[in-house]
Amino acid sequence: MPLTYVPLREHPARRLPQLFAGLALYGISLALMVRSGLGLSPWSVLNEGLARHTSLSFGTLTTLVGAAVLLLWIPLRQRPTLGTFANILTVGWSSDLGLWLLPDHPAPPVRGALLATGILLNGLSVAVYVGARCGPGPRDGLMTALTAATGRSLRLVRTAIEIVVLAAGWLLGGSVGPGTVLYAVTVGAVTQYCLPWCAYRADRDPAPAPTRRTRRPSAAPDPGPGR
């Protein structure tokens, strides 16, 4: 299933709404996890840790961190796309909107439900906006650029980045808990499950291989009466 960048001139009316819907849902999913108080994804741990030391909102810091990560693309010669800038601008305000809508300090059963919903929605939203094939967000682009520059595996580079980010966020006071572990071990599977339904198939993509079926030979036609 190809997920490489496709120029925006190809079916923009189909892909742009999908891109922005996925990014908005991603921000809402982050807000659900924050309100659960049971642990966040590594980048959200960093954003929350920074929020504890500034007067800026979680969403604003999400935007600023995304812009700062984008600066790291320059020495790596990674080129941003519309999807990159849309990621920076949309996720921040949608996460702030979610935090404004959701209540503070919910009851324990509600916190568990918020965490589970946030993780599931996060995985789905990634499949939606990645499936639009409008280009990577700043964090994903950093991961792929470092992979190309170092020759290391994508898994190793992603793990190293998230460990560094998680450690920095934890030292700043971000929320690390069981939700952080649950997110790490489940969100990839959720995204992978949802991608086949969300991935845009470009005009230039090769046609999928036909599925081979074993068919019973048809019966000989009935000659009918009198033949």
Side-chain angles (χ1 to χ4, degrees), residues 1-226:
M1 178 175 48
L3 291 173
T4 52
Y5 173 73
V6 175
L8 289 171
R9 63 179 177 272
E10 185 174 320
H11 301 295
R14 151 73 168 80
R15 295 165 57 213
L16 288 178
Q18 177 176 335
L19 169 68
F20 285 101
L23 293 172
L25 290 174
Y26 187 88
I28 297 295
S29 74
L30 298 182
L32 288 165
M33 294 180 66
V34 170
R35 286 291 185 250
S36 77
L38 296 174
L40 305 171
S41 66
W43 286 99
S44 293
V45 172
L46 176 61
N47 296 333
E48 188 183 58
L50 290 170
R52 294 181 183 276
H53 298 275
T54 69
S55 58
L56 301 176
S57 70
F58 179 89
T60 299
L61 285 164
T62 300
T63 301
L64 293 177
V65 169
V69 171
L70 188 60
L71 295 177
L72 298 176
W73 285 28
I74 297 174
L76 296 170
R77 299 182 179 181
Q78 181 87 337
R79 298 181 62 182
T81 64
L82 174 64
T84 309
F85 295 111
N87 187 297
I88 293 173
L89 297 175
T90 306
V91 172
W93 72 258
S94 60
S95 59
D96 269 351
L97 175 63
L99 290 171
W100 180 71
L101 292 172
L102 294 167
D104 290 316
H105 310 298
V110 177
R111 293 170 63 196
L114 289 175
L115 175 65
T117 304
I119 292 175
L120 291 173
L121 183 61
N122 190 276
L124 170 63
S125 63
V126 171
V128 171
Y129 79 73
V130 168
R133 299 176 67 178
C134 295
R139 300 158 188 82
D140 294 330
L142 176 64
M143 174 184 63
T144 56
L146 284 173
T147 299
T150 62
R152 303 293 184 179
S153 70
L154 194 69
R155 178 182 299 179
L156 177 63
V157 171
R158 174 165 184 158
T159 301
I161 291 174
E162 296 205 346
I163 287 174
V164 171
V165 169
L166 181 63
W170 177 71
L171 291 172
L172 289 168
S175 299
V176 178
T180 307
V181 178
L182 185 61
Y183 177 91
V185 300
T186 59
V187 72
V190 175
T191 300
Q192 184 173 348
Y193 179 82
C194 297
L195 263 174
W197 285 274
C198 302
Y200 167 75
R201 182 166 292 280
D203 296 338
R204 65 186 182 187
D205 289 342
T211 303
R212 297 184 62 183
R213 290 185 176 180
T214 303
R215 299 179 58 188
R216 293 189 307 170
S218 58
D222 183 3

